[in-house]
Amino acid sequence: AFEESFAVVPEDAPQRPTKPMLVAASEGRISDAYTKRQAFWGPFDAALNGRTIVSEEQIDQIVQMSAALGRHPLVGPLFQGDGEVSLIWRDEQTGVWLKARPDMIPAMGDVRADLKTIHDAALRACLRHIREHGYHMQGALTDLGLEAITGEKPQGSWVLVFIQKTPPYHVTPIEITEDALHWGAVRLRRAVNTFARCMETGDWPGPVEGIPKFDLAEWEVEQLG
């Protein structure tokens, strides 16, 4: 399945023909450098058939990360199920169309999982990443889609699996609490309602409205005094 979607460029592959080379070749001025490069890239591109090009370095990284996930005693089962399933539904309250695409709907059923790559898999860094990117809102969106499509409210745990993108490819699974998912759902509802209102009115306000005021904090006033 991987080879049907991706084509690997060998490490010793020549550089692609440059734009000046291509222009010169179209005018009949074919250089030895162009000939050497095109001898590889011509057949390679012709055999792509829409596949995505990846390098051997990327493949090695993917293999190492996959092996690290497979070795983790708690994470392995989470990624056995239906992967990359698109959930598309119409929001009952606003009528706008919504979409979620979870990395995996595990076969175990009572756990939902999503994979996140990160430069530093230390716990503090992962927790900060969840807050900065609103991953608890993303989990709430997936649950909203599952409930709308299946008619059943998802039960069980939401687990984010962070994997470090560099050696030694540490794996850090983190369970999102029910409270965090609840407040993620609250923020999500506010966001969907805001989007629907903007679509209806054509008014797309920025993050700050009006003219807010700036004042010094009490401790700054005391310090200056």
Side-chain angles (χ1 to χ4, degrees):
F2 186 86
E3 293 178 352
E4 293 175 0
S5 301
F6 298 92
V8 182
V9 179
E11 286 187 358
D12 58 352
Q15 292 183 342
R16 282 186 174 275
T18 63
K19 188 173 182 178
M21 285 181 178
L22 294 172
V23 172
S26 67
E27 297 172 350
R29 295 179 287 110
I30 300 176
S31 64
D32 291 340
Y34 169 82
T35 301
K36 181 179 179 180
R37 296 184 183 190
Q38 189 63 14
F40 172 83
W41 287 105
F44 185 88
D45 288 339
L48 277 180
N49 293 325
R51 292 182 296 170
T52 300
I53 297 176
V54 292
S55 66
E56 286 193 355
E57 181 181 359
Q58 290 173 314
I59 290 295
D60 181 65
Q61 182 187 37
I62 290 169
V63 169
Q64 296 294 338
M65 292 170 70
S66 177
L69 289 168
R71 286 192 301 268
H72 197 286
L74 301 177
V75 168
L78 295 178
F79 292 99
Q80 297 175 8
D82 297 323
E84 298 288 344
V85 176
S86 292
L87 308 173
I88 301 172
W89 71 101
R90 196 164 194 169
D91 182 50
E92 286 189 5
Q93 293 190 31
T94 63
V96 300
W97 287 94
L98 301 175
K99 177 182 178 180
R101 191 174 174 83
D103 289 333
M104 183 63 61
I105 300 178
M108 59 177 58
D110 58 345
V111 179
R112 284 92 70 210
D114 221 47
L115 181 66
K116 305 296 181 186
T117 59
I118 196 169
H119 289 291
D120 178 11
L123 180 59
R124 181 178 295 180
C126 293
L127 294 176
R128 183 175 65 248
H129 219 59
I130 294 174
R131 183 173 288 105
E132 288 178 352
H133 295 278
Y135 287 148
H136 57 308
M137 289 180 66
Q138 183 185 28
L141 177 65
T142 297
D143 284 354
L144 188 65
L146 288 171
E147 183 176 3
I149 292 171
T150 66
E152 298 181 4
K153 188 176 181 62
Q155 304 294 327
S157 305
W158 239 114
V159 178
L160 293 174
V161 179
F162 290 90
I163 181 165
Q164 195 165 299
K165 294 190 285 186
T166 55
Y169 305 105
H170 287 305
V171 177
T172 305
I174 297 178
E175 181 178 354
I176 307 298
T177 67
E178 289 188 13
D179 279 350
L181 282 173
H182 165 75
W183 289 112
V186 170
R187 291 184 62 189
L188 174 68
R189 172 47 54 195
R190 182 172 183 267
V192 172
N193 290 350
T194 300
F195 176 78
R197 184 173 66 252
C198 293
M199 287 287 292
E200 182 178 357
T201 63
D203 179 27
W204 297 81
V208 179
E209 297 184 56
I211 304 178
K213 294 182 179 181
F214 169 80
D215 198 358
L216 296 176
E218 288 185 11
W219 67 266
E220 289 179 294
V221 174
E222 291 182 8
Q223 189 179 66
L224 289 170

